[in-house]
């Protein structure tokens, strides 16, 4: 299969290669990006056909709904059936709460229909294609592959079928557990009162003891960028894989930019790099994921204007210097993917009816996800979770926040430790992280007056990685040498997205390095990369075990 190229454009860099500058096409790809992304299953996609043991006693109400406890129609109403809403709903019925979820579009929201799920299906294909095309890699394993190709529609169908399957799993799991799925757009019309129905004509009203807003986000498109859905498009369009352009510019080098650069470079096209990542990992990611691939990148620039292809003319991308705002270059490409972040979807929610003012569209919340009003007071019985509150735009974070809220309304206080929530970028190889980056840890240490130590291990020394001929990668631990507290862990390498959970669980449970270093790992497994990492750490005052205690061989 012929390989194509991409250009990545980022506020921190822009790539050209595959991009045409003037009339000349260059050999690489083009990507446009400003900065900081998944295609696995949904978080807390717990599907149980078993009905909950405890359901509140229900009684008939005047509007035809069945009343939950205390005269409300429901104990909990959730607006938005994305992964956040779904996670909250399942936990709520488990807790015996009479629960309804209102959805204005399709169940599953962004993650299932336009995000994690279809993108990971595409990445599963791109990973295999990349491997099959890597002659050197194949040869070193003793394999001979004469040719490898793909059928674009077949790949697109794989992503679409997976999304449909997970969507129906999500719907069935909620129905089986007794969650009422109400169709329509929800608007808060007063305290503990929601109306839903067609946009602008919400004709049905229900009351709820507690309300959770879980309305998610949509692609953010900067001013000056014209989307036509064919030559200039967002991830919503790109995931349908209606075409694989020869030369594509990816504007934004965050999660979406990086993951799509992996898809496009493997399927024939190209992408730029990640300001939100630990700088050392970002540098290595550039060396492994960008430099050897057909990707040109431009950093320190913004795409100020993008015009779709028209009348035989290519897509035009005007780049300005991120600092001086002076015009730098005009790129010509076949297509542009706009991956410049996401904006909360909170329009039409009726927040003005309850004195809540959004901040750049996000719903303000405290650490318990309780909505704050314009005067800084908690709005009783109203919560907001997931992308709509902007704390951490990740599927599993949305779901975890939902579960945390249900804990609270079930009478158990709960604060979610966001620093223990892992993130992963599903490139080949993968990148994952939890906690602080090294600069963030050093800044905190300076402020609070403690020391920070960093240790690293390499995939090159790991038997399993070498057996797979996948020795590229490192793991990095940032910790306090005085207490052994784990501040951050960053991994780039084979199955990094799965490996990170040992570290995130340790942070969540407060496990220190002087304790976790004695945990035993099966041999030969990739998990030994982390085993080595924890063993490499030196703690001055082992609080639990003695640091001098010999480590079992
Ligand atoms: C391309 C892409 C790939 C991604 N990959 C990953 C990944 O690999 N891992 C990861 O953790 N995250 C990933 N994400 C991010 C993840 O998809 C989001 O963080 C997650 O979907 C947020 O969940 P949510 O429940 O807050 O909102 P959403 O999933 O956006 O769901 C909100 C739902 O609310 C509905 N709604 C909105 N307003 C109303 C209303 N007024 N009334 C009724 N219904 C309403 C919407 O129709 C939607 O169904 C990805 C995102 C994208 C775009
Ligand atoms: N694997 C995952 O977990 C996964 C995958 C995809 C998306 N997501 C989530 O979806 C969200 C959106 O992802 P994303 O990659 O679009 O956003 P992002 O915030 O991660 O990155 C957007 C980048 O675009 C840059 N940018 C903005 N305007 C620009 C311009 N005019 N020109 C050039 N660069 C510009 C920004 O500086 C930034 O670097 C993220 O918050 C992420 O958490 C997660």
């Amino acid at each position: 299969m012929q390989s194509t190229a991409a250009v990545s454009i980022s506020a921190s860099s822009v790539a050209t290669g595959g991009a045409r500058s003037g009339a000349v096409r260059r050999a690489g790809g083009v990507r446009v990006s400003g900065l900081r992304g998944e295609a696995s299953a949904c978080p807390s996609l717990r599907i149980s056909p078993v009905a909950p043991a405890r359901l509140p006693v229900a009684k008939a109400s005047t509007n035809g709904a069945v009343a939950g406890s205390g005269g409300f129609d429901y104990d909990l109403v959730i607006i938005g059936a994305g992964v956040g809403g779904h996670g909250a709903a399942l936990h709520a019925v488990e807790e015996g709460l009479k629960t309804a979820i209102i959805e204005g579009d399709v169940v599953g929201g962004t993650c299932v229909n336009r995000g994690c799920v279809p993108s990971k299906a595409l990445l599963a294909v791109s990973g295999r294609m990349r491997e099959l095309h890597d002659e050197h890699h194949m040869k070193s394993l003793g394999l001979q592959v004469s040719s490898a190709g793909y059928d674009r529609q077949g790949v697109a169908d794989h992503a679409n079928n997976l999304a449909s399957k997970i969507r129906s799993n999500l719907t069935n799991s909620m129905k089986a557990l007794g969650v009422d799925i109400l169709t329509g757009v929800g608007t808060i019309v007063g305290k503990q009162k929601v109306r839903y129905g067609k946009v602008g004509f919400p004709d049905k009203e229900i009351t709820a003891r507690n309300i959770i807003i879980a309305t998610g986000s949509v692609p953010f498109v900067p001013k000056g960028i014209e989307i036509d859905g064919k030559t200039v498009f967002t991830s919503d369009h790109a995931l349908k894989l209606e075409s694989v352009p020869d030369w594509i510019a990816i504007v934004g080098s965050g999660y979406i930019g990086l993951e799509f650069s992996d898809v496009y470079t493997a399927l024939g096209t190209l992408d730029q790099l990640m300001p939100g990542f630990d700088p050392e990992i970002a540098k290595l990611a550039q060396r492994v994921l960008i430099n050897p691939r057909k990707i040109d990148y431009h950093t320190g620039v913004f795409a100020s204007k993008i015009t779709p292809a028209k009348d035989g003319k290519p897509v035009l991308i005007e780049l300005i210097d991120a600092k001086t705002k002076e015009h730098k270059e005009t790129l010509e490409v076949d297509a542009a993917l706009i991956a410049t972040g996401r904006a909360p979807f909170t329009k039409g929610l009726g927040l003005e009816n309850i004195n809540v003012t959004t901040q750049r569209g996000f719903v303000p919340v405290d650490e318990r996800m309780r909505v704050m009003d314009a005067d800084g007071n908690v709005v009783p019985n109203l919560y907001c979770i997931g992308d709509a509150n902007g704390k951490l735009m990740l599927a599993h974070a949305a779901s975890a926040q939902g579960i945390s809220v249900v804990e609270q309304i079930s009478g158990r206080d709960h604060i979610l430790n966001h620093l223990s929530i892992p993130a992963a970028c599903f490139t080949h190889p993968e990148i994952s992280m939890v906690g602080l980056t090294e600069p963030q840890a050093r800044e905190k240490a300076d402020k609070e007056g403690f020391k920070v130590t960093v240790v690293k291990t390499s995939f090159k020394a790991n038997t399993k990685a070498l057996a797979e001929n996948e020795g590229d990668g490192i793991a990095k631990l940032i910790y306090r040498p005085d207490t052994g507290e784990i501040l951050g862990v960053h991994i780039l390498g084979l199955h990094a997205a799965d490996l990170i959970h040992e570290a995130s669980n340790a942070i969540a449970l407060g496990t220190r390095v002087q304790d976790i270093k004695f945990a035993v790992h099966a041999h030969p497994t990739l998990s030994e990369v982390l085993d080595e990492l924890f063993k490499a750490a030196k703690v001055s005052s082992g609080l639990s075990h003695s640091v001098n205690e010999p480590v079992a061989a």
Side-chain angles (χ1 to χ4, degrees), residues 11 33-38 252 255-256 259 302-303 339 341-342 393-394 424:
S33 133
L35 254 240
R36 151 179 140 89
E38 160 207 323
Y255 285 83
I256 294 181
E259 290 187 349
F302 274 118
R342 299 195 45 97
M393 288 177 132
L394 294 173

Side-chain angles (χ1 to χ4, degrees), residues 496-519:
D498 291 300
L499 292 176
I500 197 68
H501 294 94
E502 184 170 10
S504 61
N505 288 345
I507 293 180
L509 301 173
T511 312
R512 311 262 155 160
V513 279
Q514 62 269 34
D515 293 325
I516 203 168
K517 70 196 288 180
F518 293 105

Side-chain angles (χ1 to χ4, degrees), residues 183-185 194-198 200-206:
T183 304
V185 174
V194 178
R195 235 177 246 166
Y196 69 98
K198 286 195 183 126
F201 305 98
D203 53 349
K204 298 174 202 88
E205 191 167 298
I206 45 174

